[in-house]
C-alpha cells in the first residue's frame, strides 16, 4: 500500500499536483525548499489565510493575509505571533492568553507550511482501509459523516446526520467531498458563504480520518494546484449580479420574457440573506389567502403600511404602492416557480399588522432559494458561482455590463445590454455600517451582506441616498449573551409581562405588540437605548433573564448591563434617568395592573404584571440588523444617476436599493422579500424591453 502511494506521489510531483509554492522555488541543500506557502486554518471567526516564507534553513516571515478574528482578542495573536514564529524558526511558540483558538490556528498553519516546505507532507499519510465516522460542530448543531478509506485513499464521504440548511450546508458538503476526493487533501479551501458548515465538515473529516490512522496535519499540507488566472469574456442580453431573492426573480423573469441571461454569484453557494431568512413573503389579495379564507386586498395593505411608514420624510409612496399592488402577482409567480407555501401568518395580533399576509415558504429561505435555483437552471439562465462583480462598465453614461473575478483570480468581462444589480445589503460589513450610520451607538452589528451592492452602484454614478437610521432593534442582547428562554423586546423570543421604557424612562408602547412599534418610539426619543423593568414576580418566572446581565458590562459599549435594586430611585440613578419620570412610569404601570385594564396602550390584562421590589432594570442597546442606505431607483427599478435621470442599461433591486422604501418602524418580516421580488421582476421586465432597442 505504501508503495502505491509513493508511486502516486512521484506522479503528482511530476504533474505539479503538490506544487504548493507561490512563485519561484529553488533546489536546495537546506531543510526547506525556499519559497512562500499559502495555508488556510480555521480560527475563531473563520478561515485565517496565512503565507509563510522560507529560505533554505529558516522561516523568513509569516504574514496573515485574511482573517475575521475578534478585534482586541484574536487580533492580538494575529499581530504578535508571526514575529514569534520567525524568531523561534518553529511552529512551537507560546499561545496568546485569551486567544487560544486563534493561536492554535496560526500554529497549525505554520506547521502545515513547514511540512510543505520540507516536502514531507505526502509520505506520512498512511491510512487503514475501512469506514470511519466523524463528528464536527457545524451550523445549528453537529455534522456526522462516514468516510470510506480504500487503498490509502479517501474514496467516499456520506453525511449521516446534519442540522444544516440544504442550500448552504448540504451543498457545501457536496462540493467539499468532491474536492477532497479529487485532491486527496484536507487542505482544500472552505466554501465561501458556508464557512461554519465547512469548518464543521473539516472537523468531522479530521475526526474520522484520525481513526483511520491518518496524520491530519500531513493531509492538510497536501496542497491543491490552482490554475493560473485567465482573461475571459461572456455576452448576454442581461447580466444579473447577485443570487438572492431580487437577483433570482429578476433572472427568471428576464428568461421568461425571452432574454439571454447570465447571473453571477459571489459565493460558492446561494447563501445570501434570502437563503438564511425565515422565508416569509408578504402579499395581499392573493389566491393563497383566498384559499385560506383570508379576506384582504392591496388597498387594505397599502392603507395599513402607510399608516406606519407615513412618518418618514424620505419615503417614496409611489415605490411602496407598486410593491403592494404587485405583491399578489409576485406570490403567483413564486408558486409558478415551484415555491411551496405552507401557511399564512400575521406579524402581530394588533392593527395595522393583524391581517395574515405572510406567505411562509416550506423549509424557510432555503426552500425558497432551492425552488428558484432549480428554475434558473430550467429556464436556461447561465449561472457563474464564486464570481464577484468588481466594477460596473459605464461607457459614456450607458451601462454595458460588469467586470468580475472568481476564485482563480480570472479577469472576466460580462458584456450585457442591461445590468441588474442585486448584490444585497451592507449589514454584515461592520466598518461600512459605522461609516454610513455614525450616529448609532450599536452594541452589535449582525446583519448580512458585505456592501458590494452599495459600492458598485456608487462607483458607477448612481444617486445614493444616505438614511440616518439602519434597520435596528433595541432589545436585551450582546454578543455572547447566554441562551435565555425569552429576550425582552426582541422580535424572535419576545415576552409580554414586562415594562418597557424609552431612553428617558417613559412607557411608550404596548409591550405585547410588534417590537418595532417600541423601537420607533425609542429611536425618535433621540436616545441610544431603551429599558426593561421587572419585579419579583417576573423574577420568579424567569430568574435567568433577570440575572443574565447583573455585574456584567456590554462587550462593545463597555457600560453596565443590568441592576437589581430595592427602590425605583436607585434604578433611575444607575440608568441616569430622571427619578421623578421613572417613578411616575412604574407607579402608573402598577396602577393599570391593579385596574386590570391597560388604558394607555391596550395590552391584554393577563400580560399586565405588577412590578414590585426587588426591581431589575436591564438596558436594551441598539442592535443593527440591516442597512437601508443605497441606490435610488424608480418604479421600473432603473437606477437614478447623480443628474437625477435614469442611467441607461442599469437597474437595481433588493437590499441595495431600498432607501426610499424604509422606515424605522419596520412593517414586518415578509416586507423585505416582497420588495426584493417585486422590484427584481420590475427590473427584468423593463430591461428586456430596453434590450429590444439595442
Ligand atoms: C436571519 C434573517 C431572516 C430574515 N427573514 C426574512 C423573512 O422571513 N422575510 C423577509 O421579507 N425578510 C427577511 N429577512 C430579510 C431578507 O432576507 C432580505 O431583505 C432579502 O433576502 C434580501 O435579498 P437580496 O436579494 O437583496 O439580497 P441577498 O439575498 O443577500 O442576495 C444578494 C446576493 O448577492 C451576492 N453578492 C454580493 N456581492 C456580490 C458581487 N460583488 N458579485 C456577485 N454577487 C454578489 C451575495 O453573495 C448574495 O448571495 C431576513 C434576514 C435575515 C438576516
Amino acid at each position: 500500500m505504501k508503495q502505491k502511494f509513493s508511486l502516486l506521489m512521484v506522479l503528482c510531483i511530476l504533474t505539479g499536483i503538490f506544487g504548493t509554492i507561490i512563485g519561484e522555488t529553488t533546489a536546495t541543500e537546506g531543510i526547506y525548499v525556499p519559497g512562500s506557502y499559502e495555508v488556510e486554518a480555521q480560527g475563531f471567526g473563520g478561515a485565517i489565510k496565512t503565507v509563510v516564507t522560507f529560505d533554505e534553513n529558516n522561516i523568513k516571515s509569516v504574514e496573515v493575509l485574511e482573517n475575521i478574528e475578534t478585534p482586541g482578542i484574536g487580533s492580538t495573536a494575529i499581530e504578535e505571533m508571526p514575529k514569534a514564529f520567525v524568531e523561534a524558526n518553529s511552529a512551537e511558540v507560546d499561545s496568546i492568553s485569551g486567544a487560544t483558538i486563534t493561536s492554535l490556528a496560526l500554529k497549525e498553519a505554520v506547521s502545515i507550511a513547514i511540512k510543505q516546505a520540507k516536502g514531507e507532507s505526502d509520505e506520512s499519510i498512511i491510512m487503514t482501509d475501512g469506514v470511519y465516522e466523524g463528528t464536527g460542530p457545524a451550523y445549528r448543531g453537529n455534522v456526522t459523516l462516514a468516510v470510506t478509506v480504500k487503498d490509502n485513499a479517501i474514496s467516499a464521504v456520506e453525511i449521516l446526520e446534519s442540522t444544516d440548511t440544504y442550500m448552504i450546508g448540504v451543498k457545501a458538503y457536496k462540493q467539499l467531498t468532491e474536492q477532497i476526493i479529487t485532491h486527496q487533501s484536507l487542505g482544500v479551501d472552505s466554501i465561501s458563504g458556508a464557512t461554519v458548515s465547512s469548518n464543521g465538515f473539516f472537523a468531522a473529516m479530521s475526526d474520522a480520518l484520525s481513526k483511520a490512522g491518518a496524520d491530519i496535519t500531513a493531509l492538510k499540507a497536501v496542497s491543491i494546484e490552482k490554475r493560473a488566472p485567465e482573461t475571459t469574456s461572456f455576452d448576454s442580453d442581461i447580466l444579473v449580479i447577485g443570487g438572492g431573492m431580487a437577483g433570482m426573480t429578476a433572472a427568471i423573469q428576464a428568461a421568461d420574457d425571452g432574454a439571454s441571461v447570465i447571473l453571477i454569484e459571489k459565493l460558492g453557494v446561494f447563501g445570501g440573506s434570502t437563503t438564511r431568512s425565515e422565508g416569509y413573503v408578504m402579499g395581499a389579495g392573493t389566491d393563497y389567502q383566498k384559499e385560506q379564507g383570508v379576506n384582504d386586498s392591496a388597498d387594505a395593505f397599502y392603507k395599513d403600511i402607510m399608516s406606519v411608514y407615513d412618518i418618514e420624510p424620505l419615503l417614496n409612496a409611489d415605490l411602496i404602492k407598486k410593491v403592494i399592488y404587485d405583491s399578489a402577482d409576485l406570490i403567483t409567480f413564486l408558486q409558478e416557480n415551484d415555491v411551496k407555501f405552507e401557511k399564512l401568518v400575521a406579524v402581530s395580533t394588533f392593527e395595522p399588522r393583524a391581517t395574515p399576509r405572510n406567505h411562509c415558504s416550506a423549509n424557510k429561505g432555503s426552500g425558497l432559494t432551492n425552488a428558484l435555483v432549480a428554475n434558473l437552471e430550467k429556464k436556461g439562465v447561465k449561472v457563474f458561482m464564486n464570481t464577484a462583480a468588481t466594477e460596473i462598465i459605464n461607457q459614456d453614461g450607458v451601462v454595458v455590463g460588469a467586470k468580475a473575478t472568481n476564485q482563480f483570480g480570472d479577469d472576466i468581462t460580462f458584456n450585457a445590454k442591461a445590468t441588474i444589480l442585486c448584490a444585497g445589503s451592507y449589514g454584515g460589513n461592520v466598518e461600512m455600517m459605522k461609516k454610513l450610520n455614525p450616529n448609532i451607538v450599536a452594541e452589535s452589528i449582525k446583519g448580512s451582506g458585505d456592501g458590494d451592492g452599495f459600492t458598485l452602484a456608487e462607483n458607477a454614478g448612481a444617486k445614493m441616498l444616505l438614511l440616518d437610521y439602519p434597520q435596528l432593534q433595541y432589545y436585551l442582547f450582546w454578543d455572547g449573551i447566554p441562551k435565555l428562554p425569552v429576550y425582552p423586546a426582541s422580535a424572535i423570543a419576545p415576552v409580554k409581562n414586562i415594562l418597557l421604557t424609552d431612553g428617558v424612562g417613559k412607557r411608550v408602547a404596548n409591550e405585547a405588540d410588534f417590537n418595532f412599534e417600541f423601537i420607533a418610539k425609542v429611536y425618535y426619543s433621540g436616545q441610544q437605548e431603551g429599558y426593561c423593568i421587572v419585579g419579583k414576580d417576573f423574577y420568579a418566572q424567569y430568574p435567568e433573564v433577570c440575572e443574565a446581565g447583573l455585574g456584567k458590562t456590554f462587550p462593545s459599549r463597555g457600560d453596565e448591563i443590568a441592576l437589581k435594586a430595592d427602590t425605583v430611585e436607585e434604578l433611575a440613578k444607575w440608568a441616569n434617568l430622571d427619578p421623578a419620570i421613572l417613578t411616575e412610569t412604574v407607579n402608573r404601570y402598577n396602577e393599570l395592573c391593579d385596574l386590570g385594564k391597560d388604558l394607555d396602550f391596550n395590552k391584554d390584562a393577563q400580560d399586565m404584571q405588577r412590578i414590585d421590589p426587588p426591581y431589575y432594570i436591564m438596558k436594551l442597546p441598539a442592535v443593527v440588523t440591516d442597512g437601508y442606505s443605497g441606490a435610488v431607483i424608480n418604479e421600473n427599478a432603473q437606477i437614478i444617476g447623480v443628474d437625477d435621470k435614469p442611467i441607461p442599461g442599469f437597474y437595481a433591486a433588493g437590499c441595495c436599493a431600498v432607501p426610499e422604501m424604509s422606515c424605522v418602524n419596520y412593517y414586518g418580516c415578509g416586507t423585505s422579500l416582497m420588495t426584493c421580488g417585486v422590484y427584481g421582476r420590475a427590473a427584468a421586465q423593463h430591461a428586456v424591453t430596453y434590450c429590444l432597442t439595442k
Side-chain angles (χ1 to χ4, degrees):
M1 196 179 293
K2 176 83 197 299
Q3 195 186 5
K4 258 189 198 168
F5 193 80
S6 298
L7 278 174
L8 174 70
M9 186 189 81
V10 171
L11 193 66
C12 290
I13 289 171
L14 288 175
T15 54
I17 287 178
F18 295 141
T20 60
I21 306 164
I22 305 165
E24 290 288 301
T25 63
T26 35
T28 172
E29 293 297 315
I31 315 171
Y32 304 122
V33 178
S36 294
Y37 297 77
E38 190 177 302
V39 183
E40 202 176 281
Q42 298 307 317
F44 183 76
I48 303 178
K49 210 173 247 181
T50 310
V51 168
V52 186
T53 303
F54 298 85
D55 67 12
E56 290 185 354
N57 294 304
N58 297 294
I59 299 175
K60 295 297 291 175
S61 68
V62 176
E63 193 188 346
V64 175
L65 298 181
E66 285 172 22
N67 80 92
I68 42 170
E69 300 300 278
T70 317
I73 305 175
S75 65
T76 315
I78 303 275
E79 281 156 25
E80 294 180 12
M81 288 183 72
K83 202 164 147 250
F85 292 125
V86 174
E87 280 169 10
N89 194 25
S90 162
E92 296 313 312
V93 301
D94 289 341
S95 294
I96 300 294
S97 89
T100 317
I101 297 177
T102 312
S103 303
L104 288 176
L106 287 170
K107 287 199 233 185
E108 185 186 20
V110 174
S111 56
I112 289 171
I114 288 173
K115 275 184 182 288
Q116 290 179 335
K118 285 182 174 174
E120 63 183 27
S121 57
D122 40 7
E123 285 188 328
S124 51
I125 302 169
I126 310 286
M127 297 182 286
T128 310
D129 284 5
V131 179
Y132 304 92
E133 280 191 22
T135 298
Y139 184 60
R140 295 194 299 217
N142 285 336
V143 55
T144 300
L145 45 75
V147 185
T148 305
V149 174
K150 194 160 182 292
D151 296 338
N152 202 31
I154 302 162
S155 65
V157 179
E158 187 191 350
I159 302 295
L160 301 178
E161 252 183 79
S162 158
T163 49
D164 224 315
T165 56
Y166 176 73
M167 283 312 290
I168 300 178
V170 176
K171 294 275 181 183
Y173 298 154
K174 194 161 172 278
Q175 290 183 46
L176 288 170
T177 299
E178 281 167 13
Q179 289 180 33
I180 288 172
I181 291 177
T182 304
H183 299 289
Q184 292 297 309
S185 169
L186 287 184
V188 302
D189 286 345
S190 48
I191 304 298
S192 71
T195 313
V196 177
S197 311
S198 301
N199 288 348
F201 186 85
F202 288 133
M205 287 295 290
S206 301
D207 183 25
L209 289 169
S210 58
K211 291 174 191 162
D215 176 342
I216 300 301
T217 310
L219 266 176
K220 288 182 178 173
V222 178
S223 62
I224 319 298
E225 181 192 31
K226 264 195 184 165
R227 69 161 171 77
E230 293 171 357
T231 300
T232 50
S233 69
F234 299 90
D235 298 343
S236 63
D237 291 332
I238 291 181
L239 170 68
V240 177
I241 300 171
M245 177 71 156
M248 289 188 289
T249 50
I252 291 172
Q253 182 67 54
D256 281 349
D257 292 353
S260 63
V261 186
I262 285 178
L263 183 150
I264 60 174
E265 167 53 52
K266 183 177 186 172
L267 304 177
V269 287
F270 285 91
S273 277
T274 303
T275 306
R276 294 168 193 275
S277 77
E278 289 300 311
Y280 288 12
V281 192
M282 281 209 196
T286 68
D287 290 343
Y288 191 76
Q289 281 178 313
K290 281 177 204 140
E291 282 163 27
Q292 308 283 316
V294 174
N295 185 16
D296 194 15
S297 67
D299 287 345
F301 189 8
Y302 183 66
K303 192 162 155 266
D304 285 345
I305 200 167
M306 288 308 284
S307 73
V308 178
Y309 280 25
D310 225 4
I311 48 167
E312 297 299 349
L314 297 175
L315 194 85
N316 183 331
D318 290 337
L319 290 180
I320 299 276
K321 195 169 218 165
K322 178 173 176 66
V323 175
I324 304 302
Y325 282 84
D326 285 2
S327 65
D329 204 28
L330 171 68
I331 297 295
T332 306
F333 171 88
L334 293 173
Q335 288 174 312
E336 283 169 359
N337 284 285
D338 305 320
V339 174
K340 301 269 177 285
F341 295 113
E342 59 182 10
K343 62 180 175 189
L344 272 178
V345 295
V347 173
S348 165
T349 49
F350 295 89
E351 294 297 355
R353 297 177 170 96
T355 306
R357 293 187 170 124
N358 255 329
H359 297 64
C360 308
S361 162
N363 288 326
K364 304 186 174 189
S366 183
L368 183 67
T369 300
N370 192 19
L372 295 180
V373 168
N375 276 280
L376 289 175
E377 283 169 26
K378 215 193 284 180
K379 295 180 176 180
V381 174
K382 208 162 175 209
V383 176
F384 290 70
M385 300 302 288
N386 284 308
T387 304
T390 50
E391 187 191 334
I392 302 295
I393 307 171
N394 187 332
Q395 271 176 7
D396 303 325
V398 178
V399 167
V400 292
K403 301 284 287 179
T405 190
N406 59 13
Q407 74 270 42
F408 304 110
D410 291 347
D411 177 355
I412 314 173
T413 304
F414 289 99
N415 301 305
K417 292 174 188 160
T419 299
I420 307 177
L421 182 63
C422 304
S425 168
Y426 56 89
N429 184 332
V430 174
E431 290 315 312
M432 205 159 166
M433 187 63 86
K434 284 182 180 161
K435 194 170 147 220
L436 292 176
N437 292 103
N439 54 334
I440 303 293
V441 183
E443 168 54 26
S444 174
I445 294 175
K446 55 195 204 75
S448 80
D450 52 16
D452 285 11
F454 187 99
T455 310
L456 287 164
E458 188 175 41
N459 291 348
K463 176 178 178 177
M464 307 304 287
L465 189 60
L466 303 186
L467 299 190
D468 286 341
Y469 55 87
Q471 186 182 84
L472 81 168
Q473 304 182 39
Y474 302 98
Y475 74 103
L476 188 67
F477 182 83
W478 60 91
D479 290 324
I481 188 172
K483 195 163 169 33
L484 299 174
V486 293
Y487 297 86
S490 86
I492 305 287
V495 57
K496 299 173 182 175
N497 52 337
I498 53 176
L499 164 61
L500 296 178
T501 80
D502 66 3
V504 294
K506 290 185 180 163
R507 185 171 183 232
V508 286
N510 176 344
E511 292 83 359
D513 199 351
F514 186 51
N515 68 328
F516 278 86
E517 286 290 328
F518 169 69
I519 288 157
K521 295 284 173 37
V522 175
Y523 178 80
Y524 288 116
S525 79
Q527 309 297 312
Q528 293 287 358
E529 64 199 358
Y531 298 94
C532 168
I533 298 165
V534 293
K536 68 176 171 53
D537 290 341
F538 185 84
Y539 181 87
Q541 193 182 359
Y542 295 117
E544 62 277 64
V545 175
C546 300
E547 286 170 2
L550 290 180
K552 289 191 190 143
T553 53
F554 286 113
S556 294
R557 302 194 330 178
D559 52 323
E560 289 176 12
I561 297 170
L563 182 80
K564 175 184 177 184
D566 290 327
T567 66
V568 175
E569 287 73 18
E570 283 174 80
L571 302 185
K573 195 167 161 231
W574 174 83
N576 226 354
L577 299 174
D578 182 337
I581 292 179
L582 196 63
T583 303
E584 193 188 324
T585 300
V586 174
N587 288 347
R588 171 69 178 164
Y589 188 75
N590 280 340
E591 187 187 318
L592 295 173
C593 291
D594 293 343
L595 189 68
K597 200 165 173 47
D598 181 6
L599 298 174
D600 295 344
F601 295 102
N602 201 25
K603 183 159 77 169
D604 278 357
Q606 64 190 18
D607 299 323
M608 295 295 289
Q609 185 178 58
R610 270 191 67 89
I611 296 171
D612 291 313
Y615 303 107
Y616 297 84
I617 185 166
M618 296 161 235
K619 285 184 194 161
L620 310 173
V623 176
V624 171
T625 47
D626 214 344
Y628 286 145
S629 294
V632 176
I633 57 170
N634 64 16
E635 287 159 64
N636 297 319
Q638 289 170 286
I639 292 187
I640 304 301
V642 284
D643 59 358
D644 282 326
K645 293 189 189 127
I647 301 175
F650 201 19
Y651 298 79
C655 280
C656 57
V658 291
E660 292 186 315
M661 292 179 267
S662 304
C663 179
V664 173
N665 191 349
Y666 182 46
Y667 185 76
C669 186
T671 320
S672 306
L673 287 173
M674 168 180 68
T675 307
C676 294
V678 166
Y679 279 104
R681 295 183 69 212
Q685 283 159 343
H686 196 274
V688 171
T689 316
Y690 170 80
C691 286
L692 295 175
T693 68
K694 293 278 119 187

